[in-house]
């Protein structure tokens, strides 16, 4: 009897967890047929998106070859999916050589994730969108510091040693801290005064992370200051040109580099795949992650319009949520294959709040449960975050 083919589109955190969970819950078999797993991704390896800020500060490889993961027994096809034919059960994709190809599926899981929101082209600066952009950022601030070491005019030297990070979500917070620490170290090596390095974190809101407790926010502000980051609240970056960054309210910052970290949007490639979408551009699914009107097709992660059936809350676009959904998807697929009732979605953080933020080698960990705030700072939270990231990426 022929194998049953399970195609997974997207090898991010949700895609990897989906393969692992379905393999475990089905034991690789369905109705006496072996399940063949095929992963389609446009990248040559697994991109560790949670560590995108790292190559902006140091030489760190965040693209991991598929054969270096602990996850085994799946086939990899490099390509960009262009459409899904639900009637013929075929996925159409374009390969690395622009060759058009198709693959049949019996089960399909769509986990194409999200992309970083880009500013308008005329807003200037550099958006931290991918590994190449991160490397470009690193080369630019390093070049600026080398120029600063030769500059005789104090005002120009100060500009070259100044960075603005526009966008104060977790990505912006981690990016600004990492850059401040790296720039201070590099400045000292070039015999510049490390205290002349300025990294501004521009927050359009009144305070950082409105959803966290005031106690945690004060601790986070203090830790950022110790890293060398100055958080400017109620300041929205508008446009950078020739080293001058315009802010809301008419203010201006003189900067050597402006970096945009504007959050995530669903993968725009979904628009052409032929899948039903929500008004927000996410895949339309039911409470069991089944794509509406397309049998044997599922979708999880940032690209999916998943809501908690208990209260109607939309899920957050986080690695933690994607991992929880991947775990549950294995149970759902196994139940559907066996004709049993499948478990429905429920939000991963329904009864607690938790954040772990990396600040260089250190970090800040916060959890709120039963009305209690528990906060930890130092090296241990940084190690915890890295361990969680390594586990999500299924590193050896």
């Amino acid at each position: 009897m022929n194998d049953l083919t399970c195609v997974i589109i997207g090898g991010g955190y949700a895609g990897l967890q989906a393969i692992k969970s379905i393999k475990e819950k089905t034991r690789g078999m369905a109705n006496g047929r072996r399940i063949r797993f095929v992963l389609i991704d446009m990248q040559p390896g697994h991109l560790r998106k949670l560590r995108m800020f790292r190559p902006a500060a140091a030489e760190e490889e965040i693209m991991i070859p598929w054969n270096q993961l602990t996850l085994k027994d799946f086939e990899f096809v490099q390509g960009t999916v262009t459409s899904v034919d639900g009637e013929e059960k075929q996925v159409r994709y374009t390969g690395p050589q622009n060759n058009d190809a198709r693959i049949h599926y019996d089960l399909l899981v769509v986990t194409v994730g999200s992309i970083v929101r880009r500013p308008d082209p005329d807003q200037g600066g550099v958006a931290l969108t991918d590994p190449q952009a991160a490397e470009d950022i690193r080369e630019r601030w390093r070049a600026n510091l080398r120029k600063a070491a030769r500059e005789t005019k104090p005002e120009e030297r100060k500009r070259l040693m100044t960075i603005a990070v526009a966008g104060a979500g977790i990505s912006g917070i981690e990016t600004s801290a990492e850059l401040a620490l790296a720039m201070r170290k590099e400045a000292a090596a070039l015999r510049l005064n490390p205290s002349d390095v300025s990294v501004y974190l521009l927050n359009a809101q009144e305070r950082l992370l409105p959803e966290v407790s005031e106690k945690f926010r004060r601790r986070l502000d203090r830790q950022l200051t110790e890293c060398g980051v100055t958080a400017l609240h109620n300041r929205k970056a508008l446009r950078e040109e020739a080293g001058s960054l315009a802010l809301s309210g008419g203010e201006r910052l003189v900067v050597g580099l402006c970096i945009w970290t504007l959050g995530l949007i669903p993968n725009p490639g979904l628009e052409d795949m032929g899948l039903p979408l929500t008004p927000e551009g996410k895949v339309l699914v039911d409470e069991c992650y089944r794509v509406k009107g397309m049998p044997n097709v599922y979708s999880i992660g940032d690209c999916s319009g998943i809501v908690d059936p208990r209260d109607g809350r939309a899920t957050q676009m986080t690695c933690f949520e994607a991992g929880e959904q991947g775990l549950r998807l294995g149970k759902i697929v196994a139940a559907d294959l066996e004709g049993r009732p499948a478990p429905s979605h429920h939000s991963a953080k329904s009864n607690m709040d938790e954040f772990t933020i990396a600040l260089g080698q250190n970090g800040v960990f916060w959890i709120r449960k039963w009305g209690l705030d528990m906060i930890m700072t130092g090296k241990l939270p940084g190690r915890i975050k890295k361990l969680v990231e390594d586990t999500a990426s299924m590193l050896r």
Side-chain angles (χ1 to χ4, degrees), residues 101-248:
R102 292 173 172 81
I103 185 171
H104 168 81
Y105 69 84
D106 296 290
L107 298 171
L108 178 64
V109 182
V110 181
T111 63
V112 295
S114 56
I115 66 168
V116 177
R117 187 188 306 274
R118 294 175 180 268
D120 292 334
D122 64 350
Q123 287 184 270
V126 182
L128 182 56
T129 55
D130 52 51
Q132 185 58 58
E135 291 181 19
D136 291 345
I137 289 168
R138 186 179 75 240
E139 292 306 313
R140 287 184 61 171
W141 68 255
R142 283 183 169 176
N144 281 352
L145 289 187
R146 291 194 295 270
K147 291 178 183 177
R150 303 188 300 268
E151 181 58 55
T152 58
K153 296 179 181 178
E155 297 84 0
E156 178 62 8
R157 185 188 309 119
K158 182 63 177 174
R159 183 189 74 82
L160 290 167
M161 298 176 69
T162 300
I163 281 182
V165 177
I170 292 180
S171 177
I173 291 170
E174 294 183 329
T175 299
S176 61
E178 197 78 24
L179 286 173
L181 293 168
M183 290 177 68
R184 286 184 166 190
K185 183 178 179 180
E186 185 80 3
L190 292 169
R191 297 186 178 180
L192 292 164
N193 186 350
S195 63
D196 287 341
V197 170
S198 296
V199 175
Y200 293 100
L201 177 62
L202 303 178
N203 179 23
Q205 303 186 57
E206 292 184 4
R207 52 191 181 180
L208 293 174
L209 305 178
E211 60 269 50
V212 306
S213 71
E214 186 60 34
K215 179 181 177 182
F216 174 70
R217 190 177 298 109
R218 288 196 303 268
R219 187 73 63 88
L220 178 59
D221 280 333
R222 188 159 58 248
Q223 293 293 312
L224 281 171
T225 300
E226 291 179 5
C227 289
V229 176
T230 300
L232 300 179
H233 305 294
N234 287 319
R235 305 290 205 289
K236 182 179 180 180
L238 301 177
R239 185 169 182 263
E240 185 273 330
E241 185 177 16
S244 179
L245 178 60
L247 307 179
S248 56

Side-chain angles (χ1 to χ4, degrees), residues 284-302:
L284 186 64
V285 298
D286 67 11
E287 70 279 3
C288 295
Y289 311 148
R290 307 180 189 106
V291 177
K292 296 292 183 69
M294 300 189 75
N296 302 316
V297 181
Y298 305 83
S299 184
I300 60 171
D302 289 357

Side-chain angles (χ1 to χ4, degrees), residues 212-346:
V212 306
S213 71
E214 186 60 34
K215 179 181 177 182
F216 174 70
R217 190 177 298 109
R218 288 196 303 268
R219 187 73 63 88
L220 178 59
D221 280 333
R222 188 159 58 248
Q223 293 293 312
L224 281 171
T225 300
E226 291 179 5
C227 289
V229 176
T230 300
L232 300 179
H233 305 294
N234 287 319
R235 305 290 205 289
K236 182 179 180 180
L238 301 177
R239 185 169 182 263
E240 185 273 330
E241 185 177 16
S244 179
L245 178 60
L247 307 179
S248 56
E251 298 175 86
R252 286 189 174 272
L253 273 180
V254 178
V255 299
L257 180 61
C258 173
I259 301 167
W260 302 92
T261 56
L262 300 179
L264 304 173
I265 59 173
N267 193 319
L270 291 168
E271 297 176 2
D272 299 321
M273 287 188 190
L275 301 169
L277 303 181
T278 68
E280 297 76 28
K282 296 185 176 184
V283 181
L284 186 64
V285 298
D286 67 11
E287 70 279 3
C288 295
Y289 311 148
R290 307 180 189 106
V291 177
K292 296 292 183 69
M294 300 189 75
N296 302 316
V297 181
Y298 305 83
S299 184
I300 60 171
D302 289 357
C303 68
S304 309
I306 300 170
V307 298
D308 193 321
R310 299 172 300 179
D311 54 21
R313 285 192 303 159
T315 59
Q316 296 178 323
M317 297 168 71
T318 67
C319 173
F320 184 74
E321 281 282 6
E324 291 293 307
Q325 293 164 20
L327 289 170
R328 190 173 296 109
L329 179 64
K331 300 176 183 178
I332 291 171
V333 171
D336 285 351
L337 289 171
E338 296 172 10
R340 297 184 286 105
S344 63
H345 170 81
H346 63 268

